[in-house]
Amino acid sequence: IKLLHVEDDPDILEIAMMALEISGEFEVKQCSDPKDALREAQEFAPDVLLLDLMMPGMSGDELLGHLRELPGLETTTAIFMTARAQSHEILALIAKGAKDVIVKPFDALTLGDQILTILRR
């Protein structure tokens, strides 16, 4: 499963990469800058987008809007990772096209399984 992970925090990038490698289910491409993600996304052709919500320069939901404009990414499954986990915030992200939201801090041991569960729904 090709997964594009966009996150500005280097520690979270590293932890998520280790967690996803452990699962053995994902080919992961990571970007620490939303603009890099826009440049890389179409060629990588991910099956799932794992997006941080709060990033400098462009929020995750803004990034998702731009990614949706790229050919082949119009319906790619999008999952947000955020500490902003009030129910109205989660519902707003789902209304903007997210399939689900993973709350930070996340459990590194179950991250891969969480993503697989979301994809199966």
Side-chain angles (χ1 to χ4, degrees), residues 1 6 8 22 37 49 67 75 79 100 105 111 115:
I1 300 168
V6 187
D8 64 308
I22 287 169
L49 305 165
L67 289 168
T75 60
I79 302 168
D100 209 337
L111 180 61
I115 294 169

PDB file of all heavy atoms in Angstrom, residues 1 6 8 22 37 49 67 75 79 100 105 111 115:
ATOM      1  N   ILE A   1       0.859  -1.172   0.000  1.00  0.00           N
ATOM      2  CA  ILE A   1       0.000   0.000   0.000  1.00  0.00           C
ATOM      3  C   ILE A   1       0.900   1.228   0.000  1.00  0.00           C
ATOM      4  O   ILE A   1       1.691   1.413   0.925  1.00  0.00           O
ATOM      5  CB  ILE A   1      -0.939   0.006   1.237  1.00  0.00           C
ATOM      6  CG1 ILE A   1      -1.828  -1.238   1.222  1.00  0.00           C
ATOM      7  CG2 ILE A   1      -1.766   1.282   1.270  1.00  0.00           C
ATOM      8  CD1 ILE A   1      -2.577  -1.474   2.523  1.00  0.00           C
ATOM      9  N   VAL A   6       2.645  13.356   5.178  1.00  0.00           N
ATOM     10  CA  VAL A   6       3.085  14.749   5.195  1.00  0.00           C
ATOM     11  C   VAL A   6       2.973  15.260   6.629  1.00  0.00           C
ATOM     12  O   VAL A   6       1.887  15.291   7.209  1.00  0.00           O
ATOM     13  CB  VAL A   6       2.249  15.624   4.234  1.00  0.00           C
ATOM     14  CG1 VAL A   6       2.846  17.030   4.164  1.00  0.00           C
ATOM     15  CG2 VAL A   6       2.180  14.996   2.853  1.00  0.00           C
ATOM     16  N   ASP A   8       5.271  18.052   9.460  1.00  0.00           N
ATOM     17  CA  ASP A   8       6.390  18.975   9.622  1.00  0.00           C
ATOM     18  C   ASP A   8       7.282  18.660  10.823  1.00  0.00           C
ATOM     19  O   ASP A   8       8.394  19.165  10.912  1.00  0.00           O
ATOM     20  CB  ASP A   8       5.899  20.427   9.705  1.00  0.00           C
ATOM     21  CG  ASP A   8       5.039  20.695  10.932  1.00  0.00           C
ATOM     22  OD1 ASP A   8       4.082  19.936  11.148  1.00  0.00           O
ATOM     23  OD2 ASP A   8       5.315  21.660  11.652  1.00  0.00           O
ATOM     24  N   ILE A  22       7.412  -1.499  10.459  1.00  0.00           N
ATOM     25  CA  ILE A  22       7.172  -2.691  11.279  1.00  0.00           C
ATOM     26  C   ILE A  22       5.980  -3.471  10.731  1.00  0.00           C
ATOM     27  O   ILE A  22       5.991  -4.695  10.699  1.00  0.00           O
ATOM     28  CB  ILE A  22       6.943  -2.305  12.755  1.00  0.00           C
ATOM     29  CG1 ILE A  22       8.265  -1.875  13.388  1.00  0.00           C
ATOM     30  CG2 ILE A  22       6.327  -3.458  13.542  1.00  0.00           C
ATOM     31  CD1 ILE A  22       8.117  -1.221  14.753  1.00  0.00           C
ATOM     32  N   ALA A  37       5.157  17.845  -0.945  1.00  0.00           N
ATOM     33  CA  ALA A  37       4.143  16.804  -1.150  1.00  0.00           C
ATOM     34  C   ALA A  37       3.395  17.030  -2.455  1.00  0.00           C
ATOM     35  O   ALA A  37       3.127  16.077  -3.197  1.00  0.00           O
ATOM     36  CB  ALA A  37       3.175  16.778   0.026  1.00  0.00           C
ATOM     37  N   LEU A  49      -3.317   8.950   1.773  1.00  0.00           N
ATOM     38  CA  LEU A  49      -2.648  10.170   2.211  1.00  0.00           C
ATOM     39  C   LEU A  49      -2.774  10.248   3.722  1.00  0.00           C
ATOM     40  O   LEU A  49      -3.876  10.149   4.263  1.00  0.00           O
ATOM     41  CB  LEU A  49      -3.329  11.401   1.589  1.00  0.00           C
ATOM     42  CG  LEU A  49      -3.451  11.412   0.069  1.00  0.00           C
ATOM     43  CD1 LEU A  49      -4.457  12.474  -0.376  1.00  0.00           C
ATOM     44  CD2 LEU A  49      -2.089  11.650  -0.557  1.00  0.00           C
ATOM     45  N   LEU A  67      -4.253  18.618  -3.441  1.00  0.00           N
ATOM     46  CA  LEU A  67      -3.983  17.256  -3.913  1.00  0.00           C
ATOM     47  C   LEU A  67      -5.169  16.716  -4.712  1.00  0.00           C
ATOM     48  O   LEU A  67      -4.986  16.004  -5.711  1.00  0.00           O
ATOM     49  CB  LEU A  67      -3.665  16.328  -2.738  1.00  0.00           C
ATOM     50  CG  LEU A  67      -2.322  16.554  -2.062  1.00  0.00           C
ATOM     51  CD1 LEU A  67      -2.248  15.786  -0.742  1.00  0.00           C
ATOM     52  CD2 LEU A  67      -1.161  16.163  -2.967  1.00  0.00           C
ATOM     53  N   THR A  75      -9.759  10.921  -5.586  1.00  0.00           N
ATOM     54  CA  THR A  75     -10.497  10.101  -4.614  1.00  0.00           C
ATOM     55  C   THR A  75      -9.579   9.286  -3.700  1.00  0.00           C
ATOM     56  O   THR A  75     -10.051   8.377  -3.023  1.00  0.00           O
ATOM     57  CB  THR A  75     -11.465   9.147  -5.343  1.00  0.00           C
ATOM     58  OG1 THR A  75     -10.694   8.290  -6.203  1.00  0.00           O
ATOM     59  CG2 THR A  75     -12.489   9.905  -6.169  1.00  0.00           C
ATOM     60  N   ILE A  79      -6.356  10.488   5.378  1.00  0.00           N
ATOM     61  CA  ILE A  79      -6.464  10.353   6.832  1.00  0.00           C
ATOM     62  C   ILE A  79      -5.658  11.495   7.435  1.00  0.00           C
ATOM     63  O   ILE A  79      -4.511  11.719   7.050  1.00  0.00           O
ATOM     64  CB  ILE A  79      -5.900   9.002   7.312  1.00  0.00           C
ATOM     65  CG1 ILE A  79      -6.644   7.837   6.639  1.00  0.00           C
ATOM     66  CG2 ILE A  79      -5.965   8.901   8.836  1.00  0.00           C
ATOM     67  CD1 ILE A  79      -5.973   6.488   6.834  1.00  0.00           C
ATOM     68  N   ASP A 100     -10.948   9.496   7.832  1.00  0.00           N
ATOM     69  CA  ASP A 100     -10.915   9.393   9.288  1.00  0.00           C
ATOM     70  C   ASP A 100      -9.813  10.288   9.831  1.00  0.00           C
ATOM     71  O   ASP A 100      -9.061  10.892   9.062  1.00  0.00           O
ATOM     72  CB  ASP A 100     -10.689   7.950   9.730  1.00  0.00           C
ATOM     73  CG  ASP A 100     -11.319   7.644  11.089  1.00  0.00           C
ATOM     74  OD1 ASP A 100     -11.543   8.582  11.880  1.00  0.00           O
ATOM     75  OD2 ASP A 100     -11.578   6.464  11.368  1.00  0.00           O
ATOM     76  N   PRO A 105      -1.319  12.318  20.635  1.00  0.00           N
ATOM     77  CA  PRO A 105      -0.252  11.382  20.277  1.00  0.00           C
ATOM     78  C   PRO A 105      -0.842  10.023  19.884  1.00  0.00           C
ATOM     79  O   PRO A 105      -1.768   9.547  20.511  1.00  0.00           O
ATOM     80  CB  PRO A 105       0.583  11.280  21.551  1.00  0.00           C
ATOM     81  CG  PRO A 105      -0.363  11.608  22.666  1.00  0.00           C
ATOM     82  CD  PRO A 105      -1.367  12.568  22.078  1.00  0.00           C
ATOM     83  N   LEU A 111      -0.231   1.981  14.765  1.00  0.00           N
ATOM     84  CA  LEU A 111      -0.497   2.920  13.669  1.00  0.00           C
ATOM     85  C   LEU A 111      -0.813   2.198  12.363  1.00  0.00           C
ATOM     86  O   LEU A 111      -1.807   2.510  11.695  1.00  0.00           O
ATOM     87  CB  LEU A 111       0.683   3.879  13.477  1.00  0.00           C
ATOM     88  CG  LEU A 111       0.511   4.902  12.352  1.00  0.00           C
ATOM     89  CD1 LEU A 111      -0.686   5.810  12.617  1.00  0.00           C
ATOM     90  CD2 LEU A 111       1.782   5.714  12.168  1.00  0.00           C
ATOM     91  N   ILE A 115      -4.453   2.328  10.294  1.00  0.00           N
ATOM     92  CA  ILE A 115      -4.598   2.746   8.902  1.00  0.00           C
ATOM     93  C   ILE A 115      -5.254   1.639   8.083  1.00  0.00           C
ATOM     94  O   ILE A 115      -6.168   1.893   7.288  1.00  0.00           O
ATOM     95  CB  ILE A 115      -3.243   3.168   8.316  1.00  0.00           C
ATOM     96  CG1 ILE A 115      -2.754   4.441   9.026  1.00  0.00           C
ATOM     97  CG2 ILE A 115      -3.344   3.379   6.802  1.00  0.00           C
ATOM     98  CD1 ILE A 115      -1.322   4.799   8.729  1.00  0.00           C
TER      99      ILE A 115
END
